[in-house]
Amino acid sequence: KQSPDDIAQSVLGSALSAYAGKGPEKHANYPHNRLNDIVYPVRGGMEDWGYAGSWYSGIRKPCTPSEYGGYPKEKTMYTNAQLRVFNYLVETSDSKTPPASQLGSMTQILRPNGQGNGHIPRNVRLALLMTDIVQPYNSLVEMVPLGNDRVGGKIPDSKNLSLQCTEPLLDQVTPEVEPIHDRTEYTFYAGETLMLSWEVGGSFYVNDTHVVVAKWPKDSSLDIDKPGFGWSESQLESSLDIIQKTLPLKGPTRWAGGGLFGSPSSTEFSTLFRGGDLKLQPNPVLNDREIYPILPAWKGCINIPDSFNEESNEYVVFIVSTVDQGWKKSTSSMLPQSHLVNARTNSSWKMENNGHVVEGRLKWYSRPIKIKAIQRRDKDSVSKASGDVNQSLASPGAVDLD
């Protein structure tokens, strides 16, 4: 019998096996399947309890255990918001104490089957993927002016970035790109055209990703360090005065064939919506996150408004993505029940427990990128005043927006 979240559970299990890579004993990837099929049926096992113990009817029975000194009945009572996790059993090795030669090292730890591969690096990668997929996010890779007289210098030599803004940048990567964590504000000329490239993380399939430009809100409660100002999806929709929106793009992320594992065939691609084995084949170069920490798989162009007004020359740019909508389908009689799936596919989902809240949304916003427009006659003064900011735009860079 399949769980209501079987599609997402199967997709994630397949990707975990692929990114973990081959083990040092059997030189094969982790086999992966439903627990009943790959191990044996376990009634009331930890994996089932962690997933369904608080919402599956008829199995919650408070008690007062006496073993090990006992503990109160309250500790056996659960709210409806608890125990909705994906709990994976990883059988690391047939040997409980494998030899040190099989443990691995730090060398190429983020590359499946790298030089230092072993039990430990393999499971570090598996754990990192699990951590990454908890919540979708957007990371800006580059923002390149297309005009020759941009503020502060010449256009950077972006040999791997096409200046055509009509197609995504799948499999086009600049290895030297490194994240820059403190850049959230830029200065450009009014009327200038900018090409943006970005990565969508924390997900497997992008149903829609695009860029929006809006007037900078006049709101003292803005939190520029949080995605979408920290506002709810409905608040963003009602409050932003959007003046531009790029064409929507869609396709797999690096976890599901979009660059990291190469482009999937149509057959493999369809498994993203019905579960099963993705049969991902690791790429020996692009899956090394030490060399390629980010992957500019998407791009679009925006225009800074040409009409200049000293009182309204500041704009906010957001990358907006909708992901993994195939996960909301279910092969059972129930809809998906996990927080992981509902948080990204169900805008009505809201669960609270002990001060913690999981609230669903369909659109995931990046951290705000603030753009200040200046008139072209201010070129010399701005170049001198903010040369450090503009100089950093002269080479490929990234802003971490998650």
Side-chain angles (χ1 to χ4, degrees), residues 102-229:
Q102 294 183 359
L103 298 182
S105 71
M106 290 288 292
T107 304
Q108 298 181 344
I109 191 171
L110 298 182
R111 176 183 293 177
N113 311 320
Q115 293 180 11
N117 193 36
H119 287 302
I120 295 176
R122 170 189 212 199
N123 289 294
V124 166
R125 290 190 295 272
L126 185 149
L128 288 174
L129 194 161
M130 288 282 283
T131 303
D132 183 81
I133 215 69
V134 167
Q135 178 171 298
Y137 59 92
N138 304 288
S139 294
L140 177 66
V141 179
E142 284 188 316
M143 186 156 56
V144 183
L146 300 188
N148 288 319
D149 56 351
R150 66 179 226 39
V151 178
K154 300 178 180 179
I155 299 177
D157 179 13
S158 301
K159 59 183 179 181
N160 289 319
L161 296 177
S162 167
L163 296 184
Q164 299 177 359
C165 293
T166 57
E167 297 178 359
L169 281 169
L170 293 173
D171 301 323
Q172 300 182 41
V173 185
T174 303
E176 294 80 11
V177 168
E178 295 181 359
I180 300 174
H181 297 282
D182 58 352
R183 293 295 312 284
T184 56
E185 185 171 341
Y186 296 82
T187 300
F188 294 105
Y189 289 128
E192 196 154 29
T193 298
L194 308 177
M195 184 187 73
L196 287 75
S197 61
W198 66 94
E199 178 177 12
V200 182
S203 56
F204 288 93
Y205 184 75
V206 179
N207 300 89
D208 181 318
T209 186
H210 60 274
V211 178
V212 298
V213 182
K215 295 179 181 179
W216 188 264
K218 297 183 182 298
D219 189 328
S220 59
S221 67
L222 298 179
D223 191 337
I224 62 174
D225 293 322
K226 290 185 177 180
F229 293 132

Side-chain angles (χ1 to χ4, degrees), residues 87-393:
N87 198 337
Y88 284 81
L89 172 66
V90 180
E91 295 282 1
T92 300
S93 171
D94 291 336
S95 172
K96 299 299 181 183
T97 54
S101 60
Q102 294 183 359
L103 298 182
S105 71
M106 290 288 292
T107 304
Q108 298 181 344
I109 191 171
L110 298 182
R111 176 183 293 177
N113 311 320
Q115 293 180 11
N117 193 36
H119 287 302
I120 295 176
R122 170 189 212 199
N123 289 294
V124 166
R125 290 190 295 272
L126 185 149
L128 288 174
L129 194 161
M130 288 282 283
T131 303
D132 183 81
I133 215 69
V134 167
Q135 178 171 298
Y137 59 92
N138 304 288
S139 294
L140 177 66
V141 179
E142 284 188 316
M143 186 156 56
V144 183
L146 300 188
N148 288 319
D149 56 351
R150 66 179 226 39
V151 178
K154 300 178 180 179
I155 299 177
D157 179 13
S158 301
K159 59 183 179 181
N160 289 319
L161 296 177
S162 167
L163 296 184
Q164 299 177 359
C165 293
T166 57
E167 297 178 359
L169 281 169
L170 293 173
D171 301 323
Q172 300 182 41
V173 185
T174 303
E176 294 80 11
V177 168
E178 295 181 359
I180 300 174
H181 297 282
D182 58 352
R183 293 295 312 284
T184 56
E185 185 171 341
Y186 296 82
T187 300
F188 294 105
Y189 289 128
E192 196 154 29
T193 298
L194 308 177
M195 184 187 73
L196 287 75
S197 61
W198 66 94
E199 178 177 12
V200 182
S203 56
F204 288 93
Y205 184 75
V206 179
N207 300 89
D208 181 318
T209 186
H210 60 274
V211 178
V212 298
V213 182
K215 295 179 181 179
W216 188 264
K218 297 183 182 298
D219 189 328
S220 59
S221 67
L222 298 179
D223 191 337
I224 62 174
D225 293 322
K226 290 185 177 180
F229 293 132
W231 292 353
S232 66
E233 186 173 0
S234 59
Q235 187 178 4
L236 284 162
E237 296 285 347
S238 61
S239 301
L240 288 180
D241 184 3
I242 296 177
I243 58 177
Q244 288 181 45
K245 180 179 177 181
T246 63
L247 293 174
L249 303 171
K250 63 180 180 179
T253 69
R254 69 188 303 172
W255 290 131
L260 179 61
F261 296 109
S263 298
S265 68
S266 58
T267 301
E268 292 168 339
F269 191 52
S270 65
T271 61
L272 287 168
F273 299 98
R274 69 169 187 267
D277 190 349
L278 298 181
K279 299 180 180 178
L280 303 179
Q281 299 299 317
N283 183 300
V285 177
L286 295 184
N287 59 14
D288 188 341
R289 283 181 177 257
E290 294 174 359
I291 298 178
Y292 299 93
I294 50 180
L295 188 68
W298 316 97
K299 69 174 180 178
C301 285
I302 61 174
N303 297 306
I304 300 176
D306 197 19
S307 56
F308 188 80
N309 185 326
E310 291 286 354
E311 295 183 357
S312 60
N313 67 334
E314 294 181 340
Y315 304 92
V316 61
V317 175
F318 284 114
I319 301 165
V320 186
S321 300
T322 300
V323 301
D324 295 329
Q325 294 305 291
W327 287 8
K328 63 185 176 184
K329 299 180 180 180
S330 177
T331 55
S332 77
S333 59
M334 299 181 67
L335 294 174
Q337 295 295 312
S338 69
H339 291 310
L340 181 69
V341 171
N342 280 284
R344 67 189 65 194
T345 64
N346 184 356
S347 58
S348 299
W349 186 264
K350 186 173 183 179
M351 292 282 188
E352 301 182 41
N353 184 70
N354 195 27
H356 301 282
V357 180
V358 178
E359 189 168 1
R361 63 192 309 155
L362 300 182
K363 296 179 181 179
W364 295 86
Y365 285 73
S366 67
R367 280 176 56 196
I369 308 162
K370 188 175 185 178
I371 291 182
K372 182 178 181 180
I374 62 169
Q375 291 178 299
R376 293 185 182 277
R377 61 178 172 79
D378 296 334
K379 174 180 178 181
D380 294 335
S381 61
V382 172
S383 295
K384 293 178 182 178
S386 55
D388 55 337
V389 173
N390 296 314
Q391 184 63 33
S392 67
L393 283 176

Side-chain angles (χ1 to χ4, degrees), residues 21-38:
K22 296 180 179 179
E25 293 177 333
K26 300 179 180 179
H27 303 287
N29 286 35
Y30 281 126
H32 55 92
N33 206 332
R34 301 177 189 93
L35 192 62
N36 285 6
D37 299 326
I38 200 171

